[in-house]
Amino acid sequence: MLLMPSYIGVGFLAIPYVVKLLGLWTGTAGLFLYGMLNELASLVLVESTQRLSERTGESFSNMGKVAEMSMKMGPQCLQPHAGKLRFLIDICISVTYALVMPDLLSLMNLFGQDILRQYIYINDTISILAISVLLLPIYMTRRIKLLSFLATVANIVLAGLFVISFQYICQDLPDVSSIPAAKRTDFLTFTSFTNDVMFSYCGIAMILPVRNKMKNKKNFGGWNGVLGLLLITVTCFHVFCGFFGYLKFGEMTKVNYLLNLPDDTWLYKSLKILSFLTLYFTNGMPVYVVVEIIWIPFKKKFVTSELVLTYGEYACRLICLILSCLFTLLVPEFELLMSLTGCIGVLFTTFVVPFIIAILTLYGETEPLVLVEKVKRTLKLTWYGLALIFGMYETVAGIGVAVYMTIYHIIL
């Protein structure tokens, strides 16, 4: 249950828009395909972590530490670079959390303008600046228990929003033949689809921390374990949401399907207000993670003044808010921010890191003497290698397209 909010959250609401990029059946098939690839990568990560734990007797609580240990026990030429690999993974995860802040701000801007458009027109600049000022108390909150409580309440509210909105989606559905089954897409569109899908499957960084808290870790991995069943459920949720959401709204599907709900009914209008408030209270957790990663190492190495120790973290939080606001003003479109978040960090940590760990872990083990086991080991290494090549291609292509489209938008 602790993993569920990581996979079914803000990104889940954008799934119908993602399906729209490729068409009803093609987009739905893509959702299912990447959902299964995400599950495979997650199970490989857990299996490799378990093998390393059995060999070393250590318990691993994060992906970076697992990667570092696997490289230390891998080829001798790579062992001195184990710390660099861990640093790279930590940076990617940090960047992902850092990009979530403008993501949430951009979404709040969309909901705020949608709620107020019947009464007053506000452009993006004024709206984003006003929301940034409103976010100041959340950004300045340091108590993790309070932030966790607010995030939990927000997730419960999100669950209610899903239930109420889906009953609207499932009413008076048009004929399937009236919606494009597949669309002719170019490289940019298909790669953007991949980035957007991975934005909604961005929970792999939470898998090992959750596993580490379990008393019986043996029941966690495997297709029929806790993680396998959870990710299959998540994939089915995504497919269901994407298919019926796009079927309901067609080419009018917006980047967050709640924005497609009618404005003339108080129930659905209240859902948008609740969504705005939910996003508001959700901001605290990514800010806390980013500040912990930046401020604590900086404080230990460079800060000696009592005044800076007392108020430095507040200054760091204020800087995060200012940078988040400026970045959102520069790129207010949630579509672009979603694509950036999906490729920078998520693709790398999902489709590259688990297979690097798996190859290094398998390489570090004693080569079996039995022929059947040798063949199995060779086949596994081949499969991991092919998966790694695919993941590296997806990561490079995704980052290239997302950065290109962002710069193109800024210039124009």
Side-chain angles (χ1 to χ4, degrees):
M1 291 304 292
L2 292 173
L3 275 174
M4 189 70 76
S6 301
Y7 284 101
I8 300 182
V10 175
F12 182 76
L13 300 172
I15 288 297
Y17 167 81
V18 175
V19 172
K20 185 179 76 169
L21 296 177
L22 299 187
L24 185 62
W25 292 106
T26 310
T28 303
L31 278 179
F32 183 78
L33 172 64
Y34 280 101
M36 290 295 99
L37 290 175
N38 171 69
E39 178 160 5
L40 279 171
S42 302
L43 294 178
V44 166
L45 174 64
V46 171
E47 181 187 359
S48 301
T49 303
Q50 184 174 341
R51 294 166 81 105
L52 278 174
S53 295
E54 290 172 356
R55 286 168 59 190
T56 62
E58 292 188 34
S59 180
F60 300 100
S61 59
N62 64 75
M63 196 184 302
K65 189 176 180 182
V66 174
E68 182 182 26
M69 181 58 68
S70 66
M71 186 167 281
K72 282 182 178 179
M73 303 185 72
Q76 192 171 1
C77 61
L78 296 178
Q79 291 176 8
H81 306 288
K84 297 175 185 177
L85 178 60
R86 178 175 183 174
F87 178 75
L88 177 61
I89 294 170
D90 290 342
I91 286 294
C92 288
I93 294 173
S94 303
V95 169
T96 302
Y97 278 103
L99 285 172
V100 168
M101 294 187 291
D103 287 341
L104 295 174
L105 184 52
S106 176
L107 263 182
M108 290 178 69
N109 172 49
L110 287 175
F111 277 109
Q113 291 201 24
D114 188 82
I115 294 167
L116 297 175
R117 67 181 178 180
Q118 293 180 329
Y119 313 103
I120 188 174
Y121 171 76
I122 303 177
N123 62 31
D124 284 333
T125 302
I126 297 174
S127 176
I128 291 171
L129 288 173
I131 293 171
S132 299
V133 173
L134 290 175
L135 283 171
L136 187 60
I138 289 293
Y139 269 69
M140 292 299 154
T141 302
R142 299 171 57 184
R143 294 175 59 190
I144 184 61
K145 289 185 178 180
L146 176 60
L147 294 174
S148 300
F149 173 76
L150 293 175
T152 302
V153 173
N155 287 326
I156 294 172
V157 173
L158 268 178
L161 295 177
F162 294 154
V163 173
I164 298 173
S165 59
F166 262 101
Q167 61 84 27
Y168 173 80
I169 286 177
C170 294
Q171 293 177 16
D172 302 321
L173 287 170
D175 191 83
V176 174
S177 60
S178 64
I179 306 296
K183 295 181 180 179
R184 296 183 63 181
T185 57
D186 54 17
F187 174 75
L188 291 178
T189 304
F190 184 80
T191 307
S192 296
F193 170 84
T194 301
N195 292 344
D196 295 346
V197 170
M198 294 314 299
F199 175 75
S200 64
Y201 287 121
C202 63
I204 195 167
M206 291 298 298
I207 288 176
L208 295 185
V210 172
R211 176 183 178 273
N212 193 51
K213 292 181 179 180
M214 292 186 66
K215 292 183 179 179
N216 190 355
K217 297 179 176 60
K218 292 183 179 180
N219 295 330
F220 188 76
W223 287 97
N224 60 343
V226 174
L227 180 63
L229 295 176
L230 170 72
L231 292 181
I232 288 175
T233 303
V234 167
T235 301
C236 291
F237 266 114
H238 280 73
V239 169
F240 179 82
C241 176
F243 182 87
F244 287 101
Y246 178 48
L247 179 62
K248 174 68 176 181
F249 302 117
E251 293 305 303
M252 300 300 293
T253 302
K254 296 182 180 180
V255 71
N256 186 302
Y257 77 79
L258 294 180
L259 295 169
N260 284 103
L261 298 179
D263 294 323
D264 54 356
T265 304
W266 174 247
L267 173 63
Y268 300 124
K269 192 170 183 178
S270 64
L271 293 185
K272 297 178 182 180
I273 297 173
L274 282 174
S275 298
F276 181 89
L277 294 174
T278 298
L279 292 169
Y280 178 83
F281 291 116
T282 306
N283 271 273
M285 290 307 295
V287 175
Y288 181 86
V289 173
V290 172
V291 170
E292 285 288 299
I293 293 171
I294 296 173
W295 173 245
I296 290 180
F298 181 83
K299 179 177 65 174
K300 289 180 179 178
K301 290 184 178 181
F302 304 107
V303 178
T304 56
S305 170
E306 287 294 331
L307 185 65
V308 178
L309 284 172
T310 304
Y311 299 103
E313 183 176 341
Y314 291 109
C316 183
R317 289 173 174 273
L318 181 60
I319 291 171
C320 286
L321 177 58
I322 293 171
L323 291 177
S324 178
C325 176
L326 291 176
F327 192 78
T328 311
L329 288 172
L330 195 63
V331 189
E333 284 78 9
F334 180 69
E335 300 93 318
L336 293 175
L337 292 172
M338 179 170 61
S339 185
L340 274 172
T341 308
C343 68
I344 302 177
V346 181
L347 273 173
F348 179 72
T349 53
T350 303
F351 289 157
V352 175
V353 175
F355 298 105
I356 291 177
I357 293 172
I359 291 171
L360 292 173
T361 302
L362 203 57
Y363 182 89
E365 294 178 350
T366 305
E367 187 172 350
L369 299 176
V370 182
L371 179 61
V372 175
E373 294 300 322
K374 283 187 176 181
V375 173
K376 285 183 179 180
R377 185 174 187 270
T378 303
L379 290 175
K380 272 192 173 184
L381 283 171
T382 304
W383 138 241
Y384 292 154
L386 292 174
L388 178 60
I389 293 171
F390 169 78
M392 292 176 68
Y393 165 77
E394 289 281 13
T395 302
V396 172
I399 292 175
V401 168
V403 172
Y404 165 77
M405 293 180 68
T406 303
I407 293 175
Y408 182 80
H409 164 80
I410 293 172
I411 293 174
L412 293 182

